Amino acid sequence: MSFSQSVDGAAQRVAEDSAAPDGAGKFSVNEDWLAVVVGLVLLALALTGVIPAGLIP
């Protein structure tokens, strides 16, 4: 086995691992994206007046 064959094999395994679904299935929401969505919803509620000005610090 040459060095290039072992590198190609390692690259193929990494590509297969990154394409494999995680434990949550094919669709999963990272907590960072969840925080972004929640923040945008809160911003939209504050700008539209649904959240009263007294609650905004």
Side-chain angles (χ1 to χ4, degrees):
M1 180 192 282
S2 70
F3 178 73
S4 64
Q5 287 175 338
S6 64
V7 170
D8 290 340
Q12 185 178 7
R13 283 192 301 276
V14 168
E16 289 171 357
D17 289 343
S18 64
D22 57 3
K26 291 188 179 209
F27 180 76
S28 64
V29 175
N30 181 330
E31 63 268 8
D32 294 332
W33 285 111
L34 183 61
V36 168
V37 171
V38 169
L40 290 174
V41 168
L42 288 173
L43 178 65
L45 290 175
L47 290 176
T48 58
V50 175
I51 298 177
L55 290 179
I56 301 171

